[in-house]
Amino acid sequence: MNRALTTALVGIGAAQLLKIPIHYLQFRKWDISQAVQTGGMPSSHSAGVSALASYIGLKKGFAASDFAMSAIFGAVVMYDAMGIRRAAGEIAVEVNDLDVQVEKLSKRHPGIYHIRRRKALKERLGHLPREVLAGSLFGLAIGACSYWMEKK
C-alpha cells in the first residue's frame, strides 16, 4: 500500500464529504451532490496536496526532495484553484447573465433572434482564498494524523 497516495486521497475525499454539512450550515438545506461538486468550502484540492506534502515531510524530512516536489506541486494546485479556475467561474457568471440579458432584449425587439443556451455554464469552479486556506489546514491535519497512526 502506498501510504502517501492513500493519505492524499483521504484528504480529498474527507474534504469533499465535509462540504455537505458546511453547505447545510450555510443554506439550511441538505445537498448530497456537494460531495462531487467543484469549488466550495473547503478546497479538496488543497486538502489533498497539503495532506500529501505534510505526510511526506514528516515521513522523509522537510529537507527531502520528495517533500520539495510535493510542496511545489501543492503550491501550484492551490494557486490555480484561487486564480485561473476562480476567474473562469467568474467569467461563466458573466456569460450566463449576458445570455439572460440578450434574451430579454430579443423579446423587446422582435427582429432580434436569440436561442438561449440549453445549459448554463458551470459557475462554481475555483475557490476563495479562505476555502483554499481551510482545505490546506484540513489536509495538514490529515497528513499529520496519517503519519502518527503509521508510527503506532
Side-chain angles (χ1 to χ4, degrees), residues 33-57:
S33 73
Q34 294 300 309
V36 293
Q37 297 293 326
T38 58
M41 175 69 88
S43 165
S44 61
H45 291 84
S46 299
V49 295
S50 295
L52 177 65
S54 62
Y55 172 79
I56 289 174

mmCIF file with all atom_site columns, all heavy atoms in Angstrom, residues 33-57:
data_model
loop_
_atom_site.group_PDB
_atom_site.id
_atom_site.type_symbol
_atom_site.label_atom_id
_atom_site.label_alt_id
_atom_site.label_comp_id
_atom_site.label_asym_id
_atom_site.label_entity_id
_atom_site.label_seq_id
_atom_site.pdbx_PDB_ins_code
_atom_site.Cartn_x
_atom_site.Cartn_y
_atom_site.Cartn_z
_atom_site.occupancy
_atom_site.B_iso_or_equiv
_atom_site.pdbx_formal_charge
_atom_site.auth_seq_id
_atom_site.auth_comp_id
_atom_site.auth_asym_id
_atom_site.auth_atom_id
_atom_site.pdbx_PDB_model_num
ATOM 1   N N   . SER A 1 33 ? -25.208 16.220 -3.322 1.00 0.00 ? 33 SER A N   1
ATOM 2   C CA  . SER A 1 33 ? -24.403 16.427 -4.533 1.00 0.00 ? 33 SER A CA  1
ATOM 3   C C   . SER A 1 33 ? -23.157 17.279 -4.258 1.00 0.00 ? 33 SER A C   1
ATOM 4   O O   . SER A 1 33 ? -22.242 17.303 -5.078 1.00 0.00 ? 33 SER A O   1
ATOM 5   C CB  . SER A 1 33 ? -25.235 17.065 -5.641 1.00 0.00 ? 33 SER A CB  1
ATOM 6   O OG  . SER A 1 33 ? -25.486 18.427 -5.376 1.00 0.00 ? 33 SER A OG  1
ATOM 7   N N   . GLN A 1 34 ? -23.117 17.958 -3.117 1.00 0.00 ? 34 GLN A N   1
ATOM 8   C CA  . GLN A 1 34 ? -21.930 18.747 -2.764 1.00 0.00 ? 34 GLN A CA  1
ATOM 9   C C   . GLN A 1 34 ? -20.686 17.869 -2.691 1.00 0.00 ? 34 GLN A C   1
ATOM 10  O O   . GLN A 1 34 ? -19.573 18.355 -2.876 1.00 0.00 ? 34 GLN A O   1
ATOM 11  C CB  . GLN A 1 34 ? -22.134 19.465 -1.425 1.00 0.00 ? 34 GLN A CB  1
ATOM 12  C CG  . GLN A 1 34 ? -23.204 20.528 -1.444 1.00 0.00 ? 34 GLN A CG  1
ATOM 13  C CD  . GLN A 1 34 ? -22.915 21.614 -2.450 1.00 0.00 ? 34 GLN A CD  1
ATOM 14  O OE1 . GLN A 1 34 ? -21.828 22.188 -2.470 1.00 0.00 ? 34 GLN A OE1 1
ATOM 15  N NE2 . GLN A 1 34 ? -23.866 21.894 -3.305 1.00 0.00 ? 34 GLN A NE2 1
ATOM 16  N N   . ALA A 1 35 ? -20.881 16.575 -2.428 1.00 0.00 ? 35 ALA A N   1
ATOM 17  C CA  . ALA A 1 35 ? -19.751 15.654 -2.316 1.00 0.00 ? 35 ALA A CA  1
ATOM 18  C C   . ALA A 1 35 ? -19.007 15.466 -3.642 1.00 0.00 ? 35 ALA A C   1
ATOM 19  O O   . ALA A 1 35 ? -17.868 14.995 -3.641 1.00 0.00 ? 35 ALA A O   1
ATOM 20  C CB  . ALA A 1 35 ? -20.219 14.304 -1.790 1.00 0.00 ? 35 ALA A CB  1
ATOM 21  N N   . VAL A 1 36 ? -19.632 15.833 -4.744 1.00 0.00 ? 36 VAL A N   1
ATOM 22  C CA  . VAL A 1 36 ? -18.975 15.674 -6.041 1.00 0.00 ? 36 VAL A CA  1
ATOM 23  C C   . VAL A 1 36 ? -18.874 16.993 -6.809 1.00 0.00 ? 36 VAL A C   1
ATOM 24  O O   . VAL A 1 36 ? -18.524 17.005 -7.980 1.00 0.00 ? 36 VAL A O   1
ATOM 25  C CB  . VAL A 1 36 ? -19.697 14.609 -6.914 1.00 0.00 ? 36 VAL A CB  1
ATOM 26  C CG1 . VAL A 1 36 ? -19.552 13.232 -6.306 1.00 0.00 ? 36 VAL A CG1 1
ATOM 27  C CG2 . VAL A 1 36 ? -21.148 14.953 -7.132 1.00 0.00 ? 36 VAL A CG2 1
ATOM 28  N N   . GLN A 1 37 ? -19.173 18.108 -6.148 1.00 0.00 ? 37 GLN A N   1
ATOM 29  C CA  . GLN A 1 37 ? -19.107 19.420 -6.795 1.00 0.00 ? 37 GLN A CA  1
ATOM 30  C C   . GLN A 1 37 ? -17.701 20.004 -6.697 1.00 0.00 ? 37 GLN A C   1
ATOM 31  O O   . GLN A 1 37 ? -16.957 19.715 -5.763 1.00 0.00 ? 37 GLN A O   1
ATOM 32  C CB  . GLN A 1 37 ? -20.090 20.396 -6.127 1.00 0.00 ? 37 GLN A CB  1
ATOM 33  C CG  . GLN A 1 37 ? -21.535 20.010 -6.247 1.00 0.00 ? 37 GLN A CG  1
ATOM 34  C CD  . GLN A 1 37 ? -22.035 20.090 -7.676 1.00 0.00 ? 37 GLN A CD  1
ATOM 35  O OE1 . GLN A 1 37 ? -21.619 20.943 -8.443 1.00 0.00 ? 37 GLN A OE1 1
ATOM 36  N NE2 . GLN A 1 37 ? -22.925 19.183 -8.018 1.00 0.00 ? 37 GLN A NE2 1
ATOM 37  N N   . THR A 1 38 ? -17.356 20.853 -7.657 1.00 0.00 ? 38 THR A N   1
ATOM 38  C CA  . THR A 1 38 ? -16.097 21.587 -7.586 1.00 0.00 ? 38 THR A CA  1
ATOM 39  C C   . THR A 1 38 ? -16.346 22.888 -6.829 1.00 0.00 ? 38 THR A C   1
ATOM 40  O O   . THR A 1 38 ? -17.480 23.338 -6.695 1.00 0.00 ? 38 THR A O   1
ATOM 41  C CB  . THR A 1 38 ? -15.565 21.918 -8.994 1.00 0.00 ? 38 THR A CB  1
ATOM 42  O OG1 . THR A 1 38 ? -16.553 22.685 -9.689 1.00 0.00 ? 38 THR A OG1 1
ATOM 43  C CG2 . THR A 1 38 ? -15.246 20.650 -9.760 1.00 0.00 ? 38 THR A CG2 1
ATOM 44  N N   . GLY A 1 39 ? -15.289 23.498 -6.366 1.00 0.00 ? 39 GLY A N   1
ATOM 45  C CA  . GLY A 1 39 ? -15.418 24.748 -5.622 1.00 0.00 ? 39 GLY A CA  1
ATOM 46  C C   . GLY A 1 39 ? -16.008 24.511 -4.246 1.00 0.00 ? 39 GLY A C   1
ATOM 47  O O   . GLY A 1 39 ? -16.294 23.391 -3.851 1.00 0.00 ? 39 GLY A O   1
ATOM 48  N N   . GLY A 1 40 ? -16.183 25.573 -3.508 1.00 0.00 ? 40 GLY A N   1
ATOM 49  C CA  . GLY A 1 40 ? -16.804 25.476 -2.196 1.00 0.00 ? 40 GLY A CA  1
ATOM 50  C C   . GLY A 1 40 ? -15.817 25.253 -1.063 1.00 0.00 ? 40 GLY A C   1
ATOM 51  O O   . GLY A 1 40 ? -14.621 25.134 -1.256 1.00 0.00 ? 40 GLY A O   1
ATOM 52  N N   . MET A 1 41 ? -16.385 25.211 0.139  1.00 0.00 ? 41 MET A N   1
ATOM 53  C CA  . MET A 1 41 ? -15.612 25.098 1.382  1.00 0.00 ? 41 MET A CA  1
ATOM 54  C C   . MET A 1 41 ? -15.660 23.677 1.885  1.00 0.00 ? 41 MET A C   1
ATOM 55  O O   . MET A 1 41 ? -16.748 23.126 2.011  1.00 0.00 ? 41 MET A O   1
ATOM 56  C CB  . MET A 1 41 ? -16.196 26.051 2.413  1.00 0.00 ? 41 MET A CB  1
ATOM 57  C CG  . MET A 1 41 ? -15.574 25.968 3.783  1.00 0.00 ? 41 MET A CG  1
ATOM 58  S SD  . MET A 1 41 ? -13.902 26.566 3.864  1.00 0.00 ? 41 MET A SD  1
ATOM 59  C CE  . MET A 1 41 ? -14.142 28.301 4.183  1.00 0.00 ? 41 MET A CE  1
ATOM 60  N N   . PRO A 1 42 ? -14.511 23.103 2.220  1.00 0.00 ? 42 PRO A N   1
ATOM 61  C CA  . PRO A 1 42 ? -13.128 23.512 1.957  1.00 0.00 ? 42 PRO A CA  1
ATOM 62  C C   . PRO A 1 42 ? -12.670 23.016 0.584  1.00 0.00 ? 42 PRO A C   1
ATOM 63  O O   . PRO A 1 42 ? -13.322 22.179 -0.026 1.00 0.00 ? 42 PRO A O   1
ATOM 64  C CB  . PRO A 1 42 ? -12.355 22.795 3.062  1.00 0.00 ? 42 PRO A CB  1
ATOM 65  C CG  . PRO A 1 42 ? -13.093 21.513 3.251  1.00 0.00 ? 42 PRO A CG  1
ATOM 66  C CD  . PRO A 1 42 ? -14.554 21.869 3.029  1.00 0.00 ? 42 PRO A CD  1
ATOM 67  N N   . SER A 1 43 ? -11.550 23.511 0.151  1.00 0.00 ? 43 SER A N   1
ATOM 68  C CA  . SER A 1 43 ? -10.977 23.078 -1.115 1.00 0.00 ? 43 SER A CA  1
ATOM 69  C C   . SER A 1 43 ? -10.410 21.669 -0.966 1.00 0.00 ? 43 SER A C   1
ATOM 70  O O   . SER A 1 43 ? -9.485  21.449 -0.181 1.00 0.00 ? 43 SER A O   1
ATOM 71  C CB  . SER A 1 43 ? -9.861  24.028 -1.545 1.00 0.00 ? 43 SER A CB  1
ATOM 72  O OG  . SER A 1 43 ? -9.070  23.451 -2.560 1.00 0.00 ? 43 SER A OG  1
ATOM 73  N N   . SER A 1 44 ? -10.983 20.723 -1.691 1.00 0.00 ? 44 SER A N   1
ATOM 74  C CA  . SER A 1 44 ? -10.470 19.351 -1.614 1.00 0.00 ? 44 SER A CA  1
ATOM 75  C C   . SER A 1 44 ? -9.123  19.220 -2.325 1.00 0.00 ? 44 SER A C   1
ATOM 76  O O   . SER A 1 44 ? -8.293  18.393 -1.935 1.00 0.00 ? 44 SER A O   1
ATOM 77  C CB  . SER A 1 44 ? -11.484 18.365 -2.186 1.00 0.00 ? 44 SER A CB  1
ATOM 78  O OG  . SER A 1 44 ? -11.749 18.643 -3.534 1.00 0.00 ? 44 SER A OG  1
ATOM 79  N N   . HIS A 1 45 ? -8.901  20.041 -3.340 1.00 0.00 ? 45 HIS A N   1
ATOM 80  C CA  . HIS A 1 45 ? -7.594  20.035 -3.996 1.00 0.00 ? 45 HIS A CA  1
ATOM 81  C C   . HIS A 1 45 ? -6.510  20.424 -2.990 1.00 0.00 ? 45 HIS A C   1
ATOM 82  O O   . HIS A 1 45 ? -5.472  19.777 -2.892 1.00 0.00 ? 45 HIS A O   1
ATOM 83  C CB  . HIS A 1 45 ? -7.560  21.021 -5.172 1.00 0.00 ? 45 HIS A CB  1
ATOM 84  C CG  . HIS A 1 45 ? -8.402  20.632 -6.318 1.00 0.00 ? 45 HIS A CG  1
ATOM 85  N ND1 . HIS A 1 45 ? -9.749  20.912 -6.390 1.00 0.00 ? 45 HIS A ND1 1
ATOM 86  C CD2 . HIS A 1 45 ? -8.106  19.965 -7.461 1.00 0.00 ? 45 HIS A CD2 1
ATOM 87  C CE1 . HIS A 1 45 ? -10.227 20.453 -7.524 1.00 0.00 ? 45 HIS A CE1 1
ATOM 88  N NE2 . HIS A 1 45 ? -9.257  19.862 -8.191 1.00 0.00 ? 45 HIS A NE2 1
ATOM 89  N N   . SER A 1 46 ? -6.783  21.483 -2.246 1.00 0.00 ? 46 SER A N   1
ATOM 90  C CA  . SER A 1 46 ? -5.821  21.950 -1.248 1.00 0.00 ? 46 SER A CA  1
ATOM 91  C C   . SER A 1 46 ? -5.637  20.926 -0.141 1.00 0.00 ? 46 SER A C   1
ATOM 92  O O   . SER A 1 46 ? -4.522  20.712 0.336  1.00 0.00 ? 46 SER A O   1
ATOM 93  C CB  . SER A 1 46 ? -6.277  23.276 -0.645 1.00 0.00 ? 46 SER A CB  1
ATOM 94  O OG  . SER A 1 46 ? -6.366  24.252 -1.651 1.00 0.00 ? 46 SER A OG  1
ATOM 95  N N   . ALA A 1 47 ? -6.735  20.298 0.261  1.00 0.00 ? 47 ALA A N   1
ATOM 96  C CA  . ALA A 1 47 ? -6.641  19.278 1.308  1.00 0.00 ? 47 ALA A CA  1
ATOM 97  C C   . ALA A 1 47 ? -5.780  18.112 0.846  1.00 0.00 ? 47 ALA A C   1
ATOM 98  O O   . ALA A 1 47 ? -4.933  17.609 1.605  1.00 0.00 ? 47 ALA A O   1
ATOM 99  C CB  . ALA A 1 47 ? -8.039  18.794 1.684  1.00 0.00 ? 47 ALA A CB  1
ATOM 100 N N   . GLY A 1 48 ? -5.968  17.675 -0.385 1.00 0.00 ? 48 GLY A N   1
ATOM 101 C CA  . GLY A 1 48 ? -5.204  16.546 -0.900 1.00 0.00 ? 48 GLY A CA  1
ATOM 102 C C   . GLY A 1 48 ? -3.717  16.820 -1.006 1.00 0.00 ? 48 GLY A C   1
ATOM 103 O O   . GLY A 1 48 ? -2.888  16.024 -0.538 1.00 0.00 ? 48 GLY A O   1
ATOM 104 N N   . VAL A 1 49 ? -3.362  17.959 -1.590 1.00 0.00 ? 49 VAL A N   1
ATOM 105 C CA  . VAL A 1 49 ? -1.932  18.258 -1.761 1.00 0.00 ? 49 VAL A CA  1
ATOM 106 C C   . VAL A 1 49 ? -1.272  18.598 -0.432 1.00 0.00 ? 49 VAL A C   1
ATOM 107 O O   . VAL A 1 49 ? -0.102  18.286 -0.224 1.00 0.00 ? 49 VAL A O   1
ATOM 108 C CB  . VAL A 1 49 ? -1.683  19.359 -2.827 1.00 0.00 ? 49 VAL A CB  1
ATOM 109 C CG1 . VAL A 1 49 ? -2.104  18.879 -4.201 1.00 0.00 ? 49 VAL A CG1 1
ATOM 110 C CG2 . VAL A 1 49 ? -2.355  20.670 -2.473 1.00 0.00 ? 49 VAL A CG2 1
ATOM 111 N N   . SER A 1 50 ? -2.008  19.196 0.483  1.00 0.00 ? 50 SER A N   1
ATOM 112 C CA  . SER A 1 50 ? -1.445  19.502 1.801  1.00 0.00 ? 50 SER A CA  1
ATOM 113 C C   . SER A 1 50 ? -1.270  18.235 2.630  1.00 0.00 ? 50 SER A C   1
ATOM 114 O O   . SER A 1 50 ? -0.283  18.097 3.357  1.00 0.00 ? 50 SER A O   1
ATOM 115 C CB  . SER A 1 50 ? -2.336  20.484 2.564  1.00 0.00 ? 50 SER A CB  1
ATOM 116 O OG  . SER A 1 50 ? -2.354  21.713 1.910  1.00 0.00 ? 50 SER A OG  1
ATOM 117 N N   . ALA A 1 51 ? -2.230  17.322 2.521  1.00 0.00 ? 51 ALA A N   1
ATOM 118 C CA  . ALA A 1 51 ? -2.097  16.041 3.219  1.00 0.00 ? 51 ALA A CA  1
ATOM 119 C C   . ALA A 1 51 ? -0.870  15.296 2.703  1.00 0.00 ? 51 ALA A C   1
ATOM 120 O O   . ALA A 1 51 ? -0.077  14.743 3.482  1.00 0.00 ? 51 ALA A O   1
ATOM 121 C CB  . ALA A 1 51 ? -3.362  15.204 3.031  1.00 0.00 ? 51 ALA A CB  1
ATOM 122 N N   . LEU A 1 52 ? -0.702  15.287 1.386  1.00 0.00 ? 52 LEU A N   1
ATOM 123 C CA  . LEU A 1 52 ? 0.446   14.616 0.771  1.00 0.00 ? 52 LEU A CA  1
ATOM 124 C C   . LEU A 1 52 ? 1.763   15.242 1.236  1.00 0.00 ? 52 LEU A C   1
ATOM 125 O O   . LEU A 1 52 ? 2.672   14.547 1.693  1.00 0.00 ? 52 LEU A O   1
ATOM 126 C CB  . LEU A 1 52 ? 0.332   14.692 -0.752 1.00 0.00 ? 52 LEU A CB  1
ATOM 127 C CG  . LEU A 1 52 ? 1.489   14.100 -1.561 1.00 0.00 ? 52 LEU A CG  1
ATOM 128 C CD1 . LEU A 1 52 ? 1.576   12.591 -1.337 1.00 0.00 ? 52 LEU A CD1 1
ATOM 129 C CD2 . LEU A 1 52 ? 1.314   14.423 -3.032 1.00 0.00 ? 52 LEU A CD2 1
ATOM 130 N N   . ALA A 1 53 ? 1.863   16.561 1.133  1.00 0.00 ? 53 ALA A N   1
ATOM 131 C CA  . ALA A 1 53 ? 3.112   17.242 1.484  1.00 0.00 ? 53 ALA A CA  1
ATOM 132 C C   . ALA A 1 53 ? 3.440   17.098 2.977  1.00 0.00 ? 53 ALA A C   1
ATOM 133 O O   . ALA A 1 53 ? 4.594   16.858 3.338  1.00 0.00 ? 53 ALA A O   1
ATOM 134 C CB  . ALA A 1 53 ? 3.036   18.714 1.088  1.00 0.00 ? 53 ALA A CB  1
ATOM 135 N N   . SER A 1 54 ? 2.436   17.231 3.832  1.00 0.00 ? 54 SER A N   1
ATOM 136 C CA  . SER A 1 54 ? 2.716   17.135 5.268  1.00 0.00 ? 54 SER A CA  1
ATOM 137 C C   . SER A 1 54 ? 3.116   15.707 5.649  1.00 0.00 ? 54 SER A C   1
ATOM 138 O O   . SER A 1 54 ? 4.043   15.503 6.433  1.00 0.00 ? 54 SER A O   1
ATOM 139 C CB  . SER A 1 54 ? 1.530   17.617 6.104  1.00 0.00 ? 54 SER A CB  1
ATOM 140 O OG  . SER A 1 54 ? 0.390   16.824 5.882  1.00 0.00 ? 54 SER A OG  1
ATOM 141 N N   . TYR A 1 55 ? 2.457   14.715 5.068  1.00 0.00 ? 55 TYR A N   1
ATOM 142 C CA  . TYR A 1 55 ? 2.831   13.324 5.348  1.00 0.00 ? 55 TYR A CA  1
ATOM 143 C C   . TYR A 1 55 ? 4.263   13.057 4.893  1.00 0.00 ? 55 TYR A C   1
ATOM 144 O O   . TYR A 1 55 ? 5.075   12.497 5.629  1.00 0.00 ? 55 TYR A O   1
ATOM 145 C CB  . TYR A 1 55 ? 1.856   12.351 4.660  1.00 0.00 ? 55 TYR A CB  1
ATOM 146 C CG  . TYR A 1 55 ? 2.329   10.921 4.764  1.00 0.00 ? 55 TYR A CG  1
ATOM 147 C CD1 . TYR A 1 55 ? 2.152   10.210 5.939  1.00 0.00 ? 55 TYR A CD1 1
ATOM 148 C CD2 . TYR A 1 55 ? 2.987   10.308 3.699  1.00 0.00 ? 55 TYR A CD2 1
ATOM 149 C CE1 . TYR A 1 55 ? 2.617   8.903  6.050  1.00 0.00 ? 55 TYR A CE1 1
ATOM 150 C CE2 . TYR A 1 55 ? 3.454   9.017  3.801  1.00 0.00 ? 55 TYR A CE2 1
ATOM 151 C CZ  . TYR A 1 55 ? 3.271   8.319  4.979  1.00 0.00 ? 55 TYR A CZ  1
ATOM 152 O OH  . TYR A 1 55 ? 3.738   7.033  5.099  1.00 0.00 ? 55 TYR A OH  1
ATOM 153 N N   . ILE A 1 56 ? 4.583   13.458 3.665  1.00 0.00 ? 56 ILE A N   1
ATOM 154 C CA  . ILE A 1 56 ? 5.933   13.223 3.140  1.00 0.00 ? 56 ILE A CA  1
ATOM 155 C C   . ILE A 1 56 ? 6.970   13.988 3.956  1.00 0.00 ? 56 ILE A C   1
ATOM 156 O O   . ILE A 1 56 ? 8.048   13.457 4.258  1.00 0.00 ? 56 ILE A O   1
ATOM 157 C CB  . ILE A 1 56 ? 6.010   13.590 1.644  1.00 0.00 ? 56 ILE A CB  1
ATOM 158 C CG1 . ILE A 1 56 ? 5.229   12.567 0.825  1.00 0.00 ? 56 ILE A CG1 1
ATOM 159 C CG2 . ILE A 1 56 ? 7.458   13.660 1.159  1.00 0.00 ? 56 ILE A CG2 1
ATOM 160 C CD1 . ILE A 1 56 ? 5.104   12.898 -0.654 1.00 0.00 ? 56 ILE A CD1 1
ATOM 161 N N   . GLY A 1 57 ? 6.656   15.222 4.326  1.00 0.00 ? 57 GLY A N   1
ATOM 162 C CA  . GLY A 1 57 ? 7.590   15.998 5.134  1.00 0.00 ? 57 GLY A CA  1
ATOM 163 C C   . GLY A 1 57 ? 7.880   15.345 6.474  1.00 0.00 ? 57 GLY A C   1
ATOM 164 O O   . GLY A 1 57 ? 9.032   15.278 6.912  1.00 0.00 ? 57 GLY A O   1
#
